[in-house]
Amino acid sequence: MKHIFSGLTQWILGLYKSFCTTSSHSARRASFFVLFITTGTFFIAHPALANTPTSPDFIDWLLMIAGNIAIMIATVLSQLVVYIIGLLLPVIAYNNFTNSAVVNAGWALVRDTVNMFFVVVLIIIAFGTIFGHSKFQWQ
């Protein structure tokens, strides 16, 4: 099974090299991204497609370590967010702070200002696209 994936990876690399000599810079970047995702998918899918239970090889071992590191980072970040929320909840609940008139008026003012700014930016982009300004062309 492993020789199938290595052959497929070599074939994809060959396609990528032939494509890079005949295409533009942005097309090369897009094809490199597709190559990266495709090759990574084959290496990750290898243990799921194996018929016989074997010990993990070097690439599987590296992928398991990378996955465990990503899980640890996500766990630490989520625990940090929960801790910060736990610190902020008493401040928000102090003397019914969130329902005060000043907070409600301030929230409405900030919300409406940001929404108006967003609409103005969309209108500027629309006029730039209509009149063909070079900064707004889709490339």
Side-chain angles (χ1 to χ4, degrees):
M1 197 72 165
K2 195 177 274 190
H3 66 286
I4 293 172
F5 291 115
S6 64
L8 192 57
T9 305
Q10 292 299 323
W11 180 72
I12 291 171
L13 283 172
L15 281 177
Y16 174 69
K17 287 178 184 177
S18 66
F19 184 72
C20 283
T21 59
T22 61
S23 63
S24 68
H25 182 67
S26 61
R28 272 185 255 152
R29 277 192 286 169
S31 64
F32 180 72
F33 178 73
V34 169
L35 171 73
F36 179 73
I37 296 298
T38 306
T39 307
T41 303
F42 289 135
F43 286 131
I44 290 171
H46 172 259
L49 298 175
N51 292 331
T52 58
T54 59
S55 63
D57 61 352
F58 183 69
I59 292 177
D60 295 334
W61 182 73
L62 284 176
L63 289 172
M64 285 190 296
I65 289 176
N68 287 334
I69 290 172
I71 289 172
M72 284 189 283
I73 291 171
T75 303
V76 168
L77 289 177
S78 63
Q79 288 176 349
L80 181 67
V81 167
V82 167
Y83 180 73
I84 290 172
I85 289 173
L87 288 176
L88 292 178
L89 278 177
V91 173
I92 292 172
Y94 180 73
N95 283 341
N96 204 11
F97 177 73
T98 55
N99 293 328
S100 70
V102 174
V103 171
N104 287 333
W107 167 247
L109 180 71
V110 170
R111 180 196 61 210
D112 294 344
T113 305
V114 170
N115 283 340
M116 283 189 292
F117 177 74
F118 182 69
V119 169
V120 168
V121 168
L122 288 177
I123 290 172
I124 290 171
I125 291 172
F127 278 118
T129 303
I130 290 169
F131 295 123
H133 195 273
S134 63
K135 287 185 180 180
F136 299 106
Q137 288 181 353
W138 186 264
Q139 296 180 3

